[in-house]
Amino acid sequence: MDTPYARSGRNTIALTAICLAQLMFALEISSVPVILPTLEKLLGADFRDVQWIMNAYTIACTTVLMAAGTLADRYGRKRLFVGSLVVFGVASLICGLTESAPLLIASRFVQGMGGGAMFICLIAVLSTQFKEGPERVKAFGIWGIFLGFGLGFGPIIGGVIATLAGWQWVFLVHVPLALLTFFLAINSIEESSDPDAKKLDVLGMITLSLAVFGLSYYITQGSAIGFASQTGLLIFGATIVSLIVFVVVERLNAHPMFDFSVFGIRKFSGAIMGSIGMNFSFWPFIIFLPIYYQGALHYDIVAAGLSLLAYTLPTLVMPPFAERLSHRYQPGIVIPLGMFTIGLGFILMRFGASAEHASGFTLLPGSLIAGIGLGLTNTPTTNTTTGSVPPNRAGMASGMDISARLISLAINIAVMGSVLVAGIAEYLKTALPQSFDASQRLAVAEQIASGSIDSLGERFPALLHVDSLNATVESALVHGFGWVMLYGGLGVWVLGAISLIIFGRQKAAQYA
């Protein structure tokens, strides 16, 4: 029989493994954006490839999210955690060794499947390994620190690794970390399962994944295949059909992974608007912001990573303050306030980016305020979505919350990319000679949006005759980012207003 000391020591090792896995998952979201301009140049990737390098990971996480929880309950949380860790490590190895953009996208998808399953198992393992009381509170607190550290410091970590060892090691670093985590976990994490685990909602999982992938593909590839072309309309139609089938399946399923009845709980619905708002604006923009720093301001990869700290660090220090505000003023005020603050940050960044002598310092106020807004929104949203439903449905509510975030992120990576290209192309209408037709302007805009500015003359020789080409390109990039910042700012304000209305109705109902 284990002594309390032996159990405590094993739990310490288990917590170390859990935190390392959480760190890897977070870094793959926040450290990769800073190397995207480098990948575009070295792998011969175009702007759509750059978007898919990020979106493949996000969509894959969404695909396995709910299924992983059910599989972990049925077959063992430790077993699935270790298996997903192996998948993540092998996929990271392939990501680092590839010299092909399509193979990198495919391996990122596999990596996302491993990462998504790993993430769900982390929460389940924490809940079973650490019992109620101070030990559990401490374990979840430490785990949250590693999540915040990975997301907050990921850009500078990615930049430093890429500078010192090459972009490949942004992925390859996870191989030794995964091996270390594997050996720590194998003898320390206790196996657990649920003998009454519900059946896997295969049809729901497939239809939701097809709907998210179809919409992301339609938005990302629409300019190439034609939004109104037969192929484009077929993809869009299939996406709508998949979404309708998903809703029908979930309503008919006795144990759905998405129980739509919880939207009748206004606190839950208001908080979900916060989940969508953060990933409508803040998180997808972190993927494009390095392109601005490197393309418009000519920062190197480390300087771009350092500049991004102003955007991410407030998200680490604000949660405790946000929690105190939620207890004092209620989430129905704090969550919309957080989204309004994010939007204000985006508008200020737009002014900073268009300043006559724009720099990281002119973007600093907006970056800080957007990060503060994210910090105000995140923790209250998580706590409200799970706390507004009965305890036996908290796991399902948490899954819906995470799914709403990932789906919003996947779709808005595609939308923000399209808005950026459209803004650049609009500027080029008057800046380029009339000999450039719409399709040529679009091609130039996509290359500018990807950050590959130095090779423009090689691909489009006619541009070499444009006066002040570099100034024109930089102005076009700034103009495009102005559109993106306006889209992010106004969009999150609209979602914040919807959240406030929903919460307001809930409050009115309480006093009726």
Side-chain angles (χ1 to χ4, degrees):
M1 185 173 181
D2 284 345
T3 66
Y5 178 81
R7 176 176 175 79
S8 177
R10 189 168 64 246
N11 278 359
T12 299
I13 297 173
L15 182 59
T16 303
I18 290 167
C19 289
L20 282 175
Q22 182 60 76
L23 180 63
M24 288 189 289
F25 177 82
L27 284 176
E28 277 308 290
I29 295 174
S30 63
S31 67
V32 175
V34 77
I35 66 169
L36 291 178
T38 302
L39 294 178
E40 194 277 338
K41 295 174 185 176
L42 298 181
L43 299 184
D46 59 25
F47 183 62
R48 299 186 188 94
D49 291 333
V50 168
Q51 290 178 276
W52 280 113
I53 288 170
M54 287 304 303
N55 236 349
Y57 186 84
T58 305
I59 292 174
C61 286
T62 307
T63 299
V64 304
L65 195 66
M66 303 302 287
T70 302
L71 292 173
D73 289 343
R74 176 174 292 186
Y75 298 109
R77 287 130 187 173
K78 175 182 176 180
R79 183 177 290 114
L80 188 65
F81 171 69
V82 171
S84 61
L85 181 64
V86 171
V87 171
F88 184 87
V90 172
S92 298
L93 178 65
I94 298 172
C95 286
L97 295 180
T98 184
E99 297 181 357
S100 160
L103 181 57
L104 177 58
I105 293 169
S107 53
R108 281 280 286 172
F109 188 85
V110 177
Q111 189 188 41
M113 293 182 70
M118 187 170 66
F119 178 75
I120 287 298
C121 291
L122 290 176
I123 300 173
V125 168
L126 273 172
S127 299
T128 55
Q129 186 90 17
F130 298 91
K131 309 307 178 185
E132 297 289 345
E135 185 186 35
R136 185 175 185 179
V137 172
K138 182 179 179 181
F140 269 91
I142 295 172
W143 169 73
I145 290 172
F146 273 80
L147 172 61
F149 180 86
L151 292 174
F153 286 91
I156 186 59
I157 291 173
V160 170
I161 290 175
T163 300
L164 296 179
W167 68 264
Q168 296 90 340
W169 279 96
V170 174
F171 301 108
L172 292 177
V173 70
H174 298 299
V175 177
L177 286 176
L179 282 172
L180 175 60
T181 304
F182 178 89
F183 287 114
L184 290 174
I186 203 70
N187 292 318
S188 63
I189 292 178
E190 300 172 2
E191 184 60 279
S192 63
S193 61
D194 180 3
D196 300 318
K198 61 185 180 181
K199 293 182 179 179
L200 186 63
D201 186 3
V202 176
L203 189 55
M205 180 182 70
I206 292 174
T207 51
L208 177 61
S209 301
L210 287 175
V212 175
F213 177 81
L215 185 56
S216 299
Y217 188 89
Y218 178 76
I219 296 170
T220 303
Q221 307 294 132
S223 59
I225 62 177
F227 288 105
S229 68
Q230 184 176 0
T231 302
L233 293 176
L234 182 63
I235 293 171
F236 185 73
T239 299
I240 298 300
V241 169
S242 297
L243 182 60
I244 293 172
V245 172
F246 168 71
V247 173
V248 172
V249 166
E250 296 307 288
R251 287 190 173 278
L252 295 177
N253 195 328
H255 301 286
M257 63 180 186
F258 271 60
D259 184 355
F260 291 105
S261 67
V262 297
F263 286 109
I265 303 172
R266 296 192 183 278
K267 286 180 69 175
F268 179 87
S269 297
I272 281 291
M273 288 297 106
S275 298
I276 295 171
M278 291 183 292
N279 293 278
F280 184 97
S281 53
F282 187 92
W283 287 119
F285 189 59
I286 198 175
I287 294 166
F288 299 99
L289 200 47
I291 295 173
Y292 173 82
Y293 282 124
Q294 295 180 57
L297 301 183
H298 307 291
Y299 286 5
D300 61 29
I301 195 168
V302 174
L306 282 170
S307 298
L308 281 172
L309 287 180
Y311 191 69
T312 58
L313 282 184
T315 67
L316 302 183
V317 300
M318 288 303 299
F321 180 64
E323 273 297 281
R324 288 196 293 270
L325 283 178
S326 291
H327 287 300
R328 183 171 182 179
Y329 297 108
Q330 300 301 315
I333 295 176
V334 177
I335 292 173
L337 174 64
M339 286 194 278
F340 174 81
T341 306
I342 293 172
L344 178 61
F346 269 71
I347 300 302
L348 290 177
M349 280 193 287
R350 185 173 186 266
F351 283 111
S354 60
E356 185 176 353
H357 300 290
S359 68
F361 289 106
T362 61
L363 262 69
L364 184 62
S367 296
L368 288 172
I369 290 174
I372 289 170
L374 191 283
L376 285 174
T377 311
N378 189 30
T379 304
T381 294
T382 302
N383 292 343
T384 305
T385 52
T386 54
S388 60
V389 301
N392 63 335
R393 304 171 82 186
M396 180 274 302
S398 177
M400 291 180 69
D401 175 29
I402 298 170
S403 295
R405 296 173 188 236
L406 291 175
I407 292 169
S408 303
L409 177 60
I411 292 172
N412 275 285
I413 289 173
V415 173
M416 277 193 175
S418 297
V419 171
L420 176 59
V421 170
I424 295 172
E426 176 67 23
Y427 183 88
L428 295 177
K429 277 185 179 180
T430 56
L432 294 184
Q434 294 299 315
S435 57
F436 280 80
D437 58 25
S439 62
Q440 289 175 313
R441 284 197 303 270
L442 182 63
V444 174
E446 287 181 346
Q447 185 155 346
I448 293 173
S450 70
S452 182
I453 296 174
D454 296 337
S455 59
L456 270 173
E458 297 176 11
R459 185 176 175 187
F460 305 98
L463 290 177
L464 297 175
H465 303 292
V466 175
D467 294 335
S468 304
L469 176 61
N470 289 338
T472 298
V473 168
E474 290 174 14
S475 297
L477 187 60
V478 170
H479 188 264
F481 267 95
W483 280 31
V484 175
M485 292 167 182
L486 190 62
Y487 164 80
L490 296 180
V492 75
W493 275 349
V494 170
L495 290 167
I498 294 172
S499 177
L500 184 63
I501 292 170
I502 293 172
F503 275 119
R505 287 182 179 177
Q506 191 270 339
K507 184 177 180 181
Q510 286 179 337
Y511 293 101

